[in-house]
Coordinates of all heavy atoms in Angstrom, one line a residue:
M1 N 3.1 17.1 -6.5 CA 3.6 15.9 -7.3 C 4.9 15.2 -6.6 O 5.7 16.1 -6.3 CB 4.0 16.3 -8.7 CG 4.3 15.2 -9.5 SD 4.9 15.7 -11.2 CE 6.5 16.3 -10.7
I2 N 4.9 14.1 -6.4 CA 6.0 13.3 -5.9 C 6.7 12.3 -6.8 O 6.0 11.8 -7.7 CB 5.9 12.7 -4.4 CG1 4.8 11.7 -4.6 CG2 5.5 13.8 -3.6 CD1 4.6 11.0 -3.3
K3 N 7.9 12.1 -6.6 CA 8.6 10.9 -7.3 C 9.0 9.9 -6.2 O 9.5 10.3 -5.2 CB 9.9 11.4 -8.0 CG 9.6 12.2 -9.2 CD 10.9 12.3 -9.8 CE 10.9 13.3 -11.1 NZ 12.2 13.5 -11.8
V4 N 9.0 8.7 -6.6 CA 9.3 7.6 -5.7 C 10.4 6.7 -6.3 O 10.2 6.4 -7.5 CB 8.1 6.7 -5.2 CG1 8.4 5.6 -4.4 CG2 7.1 7.6 -4.5
S5 N 11.3 6.3 -5.5 CA 12.3 5.3 -6.0 C 12.6 4.3 -4.8 O 12.5 4.7 -3.7 CB 13.6 6.0 -6.5 OG 14.2 6.7 -5.5
V6 N 13.1 3.1 -5.3 CA 13.5 2.1 -4.3 C 15.0 1.9 -4.6 O 15.4 1.6 -5.7 CB 12.6 0.8 -4.6 CG1 13.3 -0.4 -3.7 CG2 11.3 1.1 -4.2
N7 N 15.7 1.8 -3.5 CA 17.2 1.5 -3.5 C 17.2 0.0 -3.4 O 16.9 -0.6 -2.4 CB 17.9 2.2 -2.3 CG 19.3 1.8 -2.4 OD1 19.7 0.8 -3.0 ND2 20.1 2.8 -1.9
Q8 N 17.4 -0.6 -4.6 CA 17.3 -2.1 -4.7 C 18.5 -2.8 -3.9 O 18.4 -4.0 -3.5 CB 17.2 -2.5 -6.1 CG 15.9 -2.0 -6.7 CD 15.6 -2.5 -8.1 OE1 16.6 -2.7 -8.8 NE2 14.4 -2.7 -8.4
E9 N 19.5 -2.0 -3.6 CA 20.6 -2.6 -2.8 C 20.2 -2.8 -1.3 O 20.8 -3.6 -0.7 CB 21.9 -1.6 -2.8 CG 22.2 -1.1 -4.2 CD 23.6 -1.9 -4.7 OE1 24.5 -1.7 -3.9 OE2 23.6 -2.5 -5.7
L10 N 19.4 -1.9 -0.9 CA 18.9 -2.0 0.5 C 17.8 -2.8 0.7 O 17.4 -3.4 1.7 CB 18.6 -0.4 1.0 CG 19.7 0.6 1.1 CD1 19.2 1.9 1.6 CD2 20.7 0.0 2.1
C11 N 17.0 -3.0 -0.4 CA 15.6 -3.7 -0.3 C 15.8 -5.1 0.3 O 16.7 -5.8 -0.2 CB 15.0 -3.7 -1.6 SG 13.4 -4.7 -1.6
Q12 N 15.0 -5.5 1.3 CA 15.1 -6.9 1.8 C 13.9 -7.7 1.3 O 13.8 -8.9 1.7 CB 15.0 -6.7 3.4 CG 16.0 -6.1 4.0 CD 15.8 -5.5 5.5 OE1 14.7 -5.9 5.9 NE2 16.7 -4.9 6.1
G13 N 13.1 -7.2 0.3 CA 12.1 -7.9 -0.2 C 11.0 -8.4 0.6 O 10.3 -9.4 0.3
A14 N 10.7 -7.8 1.7 CA 9.6 -8.2 2.5 C 8.3 -8.0 1.8 O 7.2 -8.6 2.2 CB 9.6 -7.6 3.8
G15 N 8.2 -7.0 0.8 CA 7.1 -6.8 0.1 C 5.9 -6.0 0.9 O 4.8 -5.8 0.5
I16 N 6.4 -5.3 1.9 CA 5.4 -4.4 2.8 C 4.9 -3.3 1.8 O 3.7 -3.1 1.8 CB 6.1 -3.9 3.9 CG1 6.5 -5.1 4.9 CG2 5.2 -3.0 4.8 CD1 7.3 -4.7 6.0
C17 N 5.9 -2.7 1.1 CA 5.4 -1.6 0.3 C 4.4 -2.1 -0.8 O 3.4 -1.4 -1.1 CB 6.7 -1.1 -0.6 SG 7.6 -2.4 -1.4
E18 N 4.5 -3.3 -1.4 CA 3.7 -3.8 -2.3 C 2.2 -4.1 -1.6 O 1.2 -3.8 -2.3 CB 4.2 -5.1 -3.0 CG 3.3 -5.6 -4.1 CD 3.8 -6.9 -4.6 OE1 4.0 -7.8 -3.8 OE2 3.9 -7.1 -5.9
S19 N 2.2 -4.6 -0.5 CA 1.0 -4.8 0.2 C 0.3 -3.5 0.6 O -0.9 -3.4 0.6 CB 1.1 -5.7 1.4 OG 1.9 -5.2 2.3
I20 N 1.0 -2.5 0.8 CA 0.4 -1.1 1.1 C 0.0 -0.5 -0.2 O -1.2 0.1 -0.1 CB 1.4 -0.2 1.9 CG1 1.8 -0.8 3.3 CG2 0.9 1.2 2.0 CD1 2.8 -0.1 3.9
C21 N 0.7 -0.4 -1.1 CA 0.2 0.2 -2.4 C 0.8 -0.5 -3.6 O 1.7 -0.3 -4.3 CB 1.0 1.7 -2.4 SG 0.3 2.7 -3.8
P22 N 0.0 -1.6 -4.0 CA 0.3 -2.4 -5.2 C 0.2 -1.7 -6.5 O 0.8 -2.1 -7.5 CB -0.6 -3.5 -5.1 CG -1.8 -3.1 -4.2 CD -1.2 -2.0 -3.3
E23 N -0.5 -0.4 -6.4 CA -0.5 0.3 -7.7 C 0.8 0.9 -8.0 O 1.2 1.2 -9.3 CB -1.5 1.3 -7.6 CG -2.9 1.0 -7.4 CD -3.3 0.7 -6.0 OE1 -2.5 0.7 -5.1 OE2 -4.5 0.2 -5.8
V24 N 1.8 1.1 -7.1 CA 3.0 1.7 -7.2 C 4.1 0.8 -7.1 O 5.1 0.8 -7.9 CB 3.2 2.8 -6.4 CG1 4.6 3.4 -6.3 CG2 2.1 3.9 -6.5
F25 N 4.1 -0.2 -6.3 CA 5.3 -1.0 -5.9 C 5.0 -2.5 -6.3 O 3.8 -2.9 -6.2 CB 5.5 -1.1 -4.4 CG 5.9 0.3 -3.9 CD1 4.9 1.0 -3.2 CD2 7.2 0.8 -4.1 CE1 5.3 2.3 -2.8 CE2 7.4 2.1 -3.5 CZ 6.4 2.8 -2.8
E26 N 6.0 -3.2 -6.8 CA 5.8 -4.6 -7.1 C 7.1 -5.3 -6.9 O 8.1 -4.7 -6.9 CB 5.4 -4.8 -8.6 CG 6.5 -4.4 -9.6 CD 5.9 -4.6 -11.1 OE1 5.0 -5.4 -11.2 OE2 6.7 -4.2 -11.9
L27 N 7.0 -6.5 -6.5 CA 8.2 -7.3 -6.2 C 8.6 -8.0 -7.5 O 7.8 -8.6 -8.2 CB 8.0 -8.3 -5.2 CG 7.9 -7.8 -3.7 CD1 8.1 -9.0 -2.8 CD2 9.0 -6.8 -3.4
I28 N 9.9 -8.0 -7.8 CA 10.4 -8.7 -9.1 C 11.0 -10.0 -8.5 O 11.8 -10.0 -7.5 CB 11.6 -8.0 -9.6 CG1 11.4 -6.4 -9.6 CG2 11.6 -8.4 -11.0 CD1 12.7 -5.7 -10.1
D29 N 10.7 -11.1 -9.0 CA 11.2 -12.4 -8.6 C 11.0 -12.6 -7.1 O 11.8 -13.3 -6.5 CB 12.8 -12.5 -8.9 CG 13.0 -12.3 -10.4 OD1 12.1 -12.7 -11.2 OD2 14.1 -11.9 -10.7
D30 N 10.0 -12.0 -6.6 CA 9.7 -12.1 -5.2 C 10.6 -11.8 -4.2 O 10.8 -12.3 -3.1 CB 9.3 -13.6 -4.8 CG 7.9 -14.0 -5.5 OD1 7.1 -13.1 -5.6 OD2 7.7 -15.2 -5.6
E31 N 11.7 -10.9 -4.7 CA 12.8 -10.6 -3.9 C 13.0 -9.0 -3.8 O 13.5 -8.6 -2.7 CB 14.1 -11.1 -4.5 CG 14.1 -12.7 -4.1 CD 15.4 -13.3 -4.7 OE1 16.2 -12.5 -5.4 OE2 15.7 -14.4 -4.5
I32 N 12.8 -8.4 -4.8 CA 13.2 -7.0 -4.8 C 12.1 -6.1 -5.3 O 11.4 -6.5 -6.3 CB 14.5 -6.7 -5.7 CG1 15.6 -7.5 -5.1 CG2 14.9 -5.3 -5.8 CD1 17.0 -7.5 -5.9
A33 N 11.8 -5.0 -4.6 CA 10.8 -4.2 -4.9 C 11.2 -3.2 -6.1 O 12.4 -2.7 -6.2 CB 10.3 -3.3 -3.8
Q34 N 10.3 -2.9 -7.0 CA 10.5 -1.8 -7.9 C 9.2 -0.9 -8.1 O 8.3 -1.5 -7.7 CB 11.0 -2.4 -9.3 CG 9.8 -3.1 -10.1 CD 10.3 -3.5 -11.5 OE1 11.3 -3.5 -11.9 NE2 9.3 -3.8 -12.3
V35 N 9.5 0.3 -8.5 CA 8.3 1.1 -8.7 C 7.7 0.9 -10.2 O 8.5 0.8 -11.0 CB 8.6 2.5 -8.4 CG1 8.7 2.8 -6.9 CG2 9.8 3.0 -9.2
K36 N 6.5 1.0 -10.3 CA 5.8 0.7 -11.6 C 5.7 2.1 -12.3 O 5.5 2.1 -13.5 CB 4.4 0.2 -11.3 CG 4.4 -1.2 -10.8 CD 2.9 -1.4 -10.6 CE 2.6 -2.9 -10.5 NZ 1.2 -3.1 -10.1
M37 N 5.9 3.2 -11.5 CA 5.8 4.5 -12.2 C 6.8 5.5 -11.4 O 6.9 5.3 -10.2 CB 4.5 5.1 -12.2 CG 3.8 5.1 -10.8 SD 2.1 5.5 -10.8 CE 1.3 3.8 -10.8
E38 N 7.3 6.4 -12.0 CA 8.2 7.2 -11.4 C 7.5 8.4 -10.8 O 7.8 8.9 -9.6 CB 9.3 7.7 -12.4 CG 10.6 8.2 -11.6 CD 11.5 8.8 -12.6 OE1 11.3 8.6 -13.9 OE2 12.5 9.5 -12.2
I39 N 6.6 9.1 -11.5 CA 5.8 10.1 -11.0 C 4.5 9.6 -10.5 O 3.8 8.9 -11.2 CB 5.6 11.2 -12.1 CG1 7.0 11.6 -12.5 CG2 4.8 12.2 -11.5 CD1 7.1 12.8 -13.4
I40 N 4.3 10.0 -9.2 CA 3.2 9.4 -8.5 C 1.9 10.2 -8.5 O 1.9 11.3 -8.2 CB 3.5 9.1 -7.0 CG1 4.8 8.2 -7.0 CG2 2.4 8.4 -6.3 CD1 4.8 7.0 -7.6
P41 N 0.8 9.6 -9.1 CA -0.4 10.5 -9.0 C -0.8 10.8 -7.5 O -0.6 10.0 -6.7 CB -1.4 9.5 -9.7 CG -0.7 8.5 -10.4 CD 0.7 8.4 -9.7
E42 N -1.6 11.9 -7.4 CA -1.9 12.3 -6.1 C -2.6 11.4 -5.4 O -2.4 11.3 -4.1 CB -2.7 13.6 -6.3 CG -2.5 14.6 -5.1 CD -3.2 15.9 -5.4 OE1 -3.1 16.4 -6.4 OE2 -4.0 16.3 -4.5
K43 N -3.5 10.6 -5.9 CA -4.3 9.6 -5.2 C -3.5 8.5 -4.5 O -4.0 8.0 -3.6 CB -5.3 9.0 -6.1 CG -4.8 8.3 -7.3 CD -6.0 7.7 -8.3 CE -5.3 7.1 -9.5 NZ -6.4 6.7 -10.3
Y44 N -2.2 8.3 -4.9 CA -1.4 7.3 -4.2 C -0.3 7.8 -3.3 O 0.4 7.1 -2.7 CB -0.6 6.5 -5.4 CG -1.5 5.8 -6.3 CD1 -1.2 5.7 -7.6 CD2 -2.7 5.1 -5.9 CE1 -2.1 5.1 -8.5 CE2 -3.6 4.5 -6.7 CZ -3.3 4.4 -8.0 OH -4.1 3.8 -8.9
E45 N -0.4 9.2 -3.2 CA 0.7 9.8 -2.2 C 0.8 9.4 -0.9 O 1.8 9.1 -0.3 CB 0.6 11.2 -2.4 CG 1.2 12.0 -3.6 CD 1.4 13.5 -3.5 OE1 1.4 14.0 -2.5 OE2 1.3 14.1 -4.7
V46 N -0.5 9.4 -0.3 CA -0.6 8.9 1.1 C -0.1 7.6 1.4 O 0.7 7.3 2.2 CB -2.1 9.1 1.7 CG1 -2.3 8.5 3.0 CG2 -2.4 10.6 1.6
A47 N -0.5 6.7 0.4 CA 0.0 5.2 0.5 C 1.5 5.2 0.3 O 2.1 4.4 1.0 CB -0.8 4.4 -0.5
C48 N 2.1 5.9 -0.6 CA 3.4 6.0 -0.8 C 4.1 6.4 0.5 O 5.3 5.8 0.8 CB 3.9 6.9 -1.9 SG 3.6 6.1 -3.6
R49 N 3.7 7.4 1.1 CA 4.4 7.8 2.3 C 4.3 6.9 3.3 O 5.2 6.6 4.3 CB 3.7 9.2 2.8 CG 4.0 10.3 1.8 CD 3.5 11.6 2.4 NE 3.4 12.7 1.3 CZ 4.4 13.4 0.7 NH1 5.6 13.1 1.3 NH2 4.2 14.2 -0.2
R50 N 3.0 6.1 3.5 CA 2.9 5.0 4.4 C 4.0 3.9 4.2 O 4.5 3.4 5.1 CB 1.5 4.5 4.3 CG 1.1 4.0 5.7 CD -0.4 4.2 6.0 NE -1.3 3.9 4.9 CZ -1.8 2.7 4.6 NH1 -1.5 1.7 5.4 NH2 -2.7 2.5 3.7
A51 N 4.2 3.6 2.9 CA 5.3 2.7 2.5 C 6.6 3.1 2.9 O 7.4 2.2 3.3 CB 5.2 2.4 1.0
V52 N 7.0 4.3 2.7 CA 8.2 4.8 3.1 C 8.4 4.5 4.7 O 9.4 4.1 5.2 CB 8.4 6.3 2.9 CG1 9.6 6.9 3.6 CG2 8.4 6.5 1.4
D53 N 7.4 4.9 5.5 CA 7.5 4.8 6.8 C 7.5 3.4 7.3 O 8.0 3.0 8.3 CB 6.2 5.5 7.5 CG 6.3 7.1 7.4 OD1 7.4 7.5 7.1 OD2 5.3 7.6 7.5
S54 N 6.9 2.5 6.5 CA 6.8 1.1 6.9 C 8.0 0.1 6.5 O 8.1 -1.0 6.9 CB 5.4 0.4 6.3 OG 4.4 1.2 6.8
C55 N 8.7 0.7 5.5 CA 9.9 -0.1 5.0 C 10.9 -0.3 6.0 O 11.5 0.5 6.5 CB 10.4 0.6 3.7 SG 11.9 -0.3 3.1
P56 N 11.1 -1.7 6.3 CA 12.1 -1.9 7.4 C 13.6 -1.6 7.0 O 14.4 -1.5 7.8 CB 12.0 -3.4 7.6 CG 11.3 -4.0 6.3 CD 10.5 -2.9 5.7
A57 N 13.7 -1.4 5.7 CA 15.1 -1.3 5.2 C 15.4 0.3 4.8 O 16.6 0.5 4.4 CB 15.5 -2.1 3.9
Q58 N 14.5 1.0 5.1 CA 14.4 2.5 4.6 C 15.0 2.6 3.2 O 15.9 3.4 2.8 CB 15.5 3.3 5.6 CG 14.8 3.8 6.8 CD 15.3 3.1 8.1 OE1 16.5 3.1 8.2 NE2 14.6 2.7 9.0
A59 N 14.5 1.8 2.4 CA 14.8 1.7 0.9 C 14.0 2.6 0.1 O 14.5 2.7 -1.2 CB 14.8 0.2 0.5
I60 N 13.0 3.1 0.5 CA 12.1 3.9 -0.4 C 12.3 5.4 -0.1 O 12.3 5.9 1.0 CB 10.6 3.6 -0.2 CG1 10.4 2.0 -0.2 CG2 9.7 4.3 -1.2 CD1 9.1 1.7 0.3
R61 N 12.5 6.1 -1.2 CA 12.9 7.4 -1.1 C 11.8 8.3 -2.0 O 11.4 7.9 -3.0 CB 14.1 7.9 -1.7 CG 14.9 8.8 -0.9 CD 16.3 9.1 -1.3 NE 16.2 10.1 -2.5 CZ 17.1 10.4 -3.3 NH1 18.3 9.8 -3.2 NH2 17.0 11.3 -4.3
I62 N 11.3 9.4 -1.3 CA 10.4 10.2 -2.0 C 11.1 11.6 -2.3 O 11.8 12.1 -1.5 CB 9.2 10.6 -1.1 CG1 8.3 9.4 -1.1 CG2 8.4 11.8 -1.6 CD1 7.0 9.6 -0.3
E63 N 11.0 12.1 -3.5 CA 11.4 13.4 -3.9 C 10.1 14.3 -4.2 O 9.3 13.9 -4.9 CB 12.2 13.4 -5.2 CG 13.6 12.9 -5.0 CD 14.2 12.8 -6.4 OE1 14.2 13.7 -7.1 OE2 14.9 11.7 -6.6
E64 N 10.1 15.4 -3.5 CA 9.0 16.3 -3.6 C 9.2 17.3 -4.8 O 10.3 17.5 -5.2 CB 8.8 17.2 -2.4 CG 8.8 16.4 -1.1 CD 7.5 15.9 -0.7 OE1 6.6 16.3 -1.3 OE2 7.5 15.1 0.2
Ligands
SF4_101 S1 9.2 -2.5 2.1 FE1 11.3 -1.8 1.7 S2 12.3 -3.8 2.0 FE2 10.3 -4.4 1.8 S3 10.1 -4.8 -0.4 FE3 9.4 -2.7 -0.1 S4 11.3 -1.6 -0.5 FE4 11.9 -3.6 -0.1

């Protein structure tokens, strides 16, 4: 089980995370990402890790 969070101070709002895993990430006001759930179901883990790797601002953090 993993937890995911977005550091909204760092987020640049490009929305890459949302396009990779819209079940977990969403953009608020088209500018800042937020997570829709704190604890991530296993089926979304791979996509979440991909979002972490793809975020240009290194704003997404995973806690194992
Ligand atoms: S990919 Fe990173 S910078 Fe882009 S919206 Fe998501 S958290 Fe923000």
Side-chain angles (χ1 to χ4, degrees):
M1 182 190 78
I2 60 171
K3 284 188 187 179
V4 170
S5 59
V6 170
N7 182 333
Q8 296 184 326
E9 310 251 307
L10 296 177
C11 175
Q12 298 164 357
I16 296 166
C17 52
E18 186 184 46
S19 63
I20 291 174
C21 191
E23 294 84 359
V24 173
F25 301 97
E26 68 182 346
L27 286 194
I28 327 166
D29 300 332
D30 288 335
E31 282 181 356
I32 297 177
Q34 70 175 14
V35 287
K36 295 172 161 178
M37 60 189 90
E38 203 187 341
I39 299 187
I40 307 302
E42 210 175 313
K43 59 184 173 181
Y44 300 140
E45 276 191 30
V46 171
C48 281
R49 290 182 200 282
R50 209 144 47 84
V52 170
D53 292 341
S54 304
C55 174
Q58 275 115 47
I60 308 170
R61 222 180 80 190
I62 284 182
E63 280 176 50
E64 309 276 346

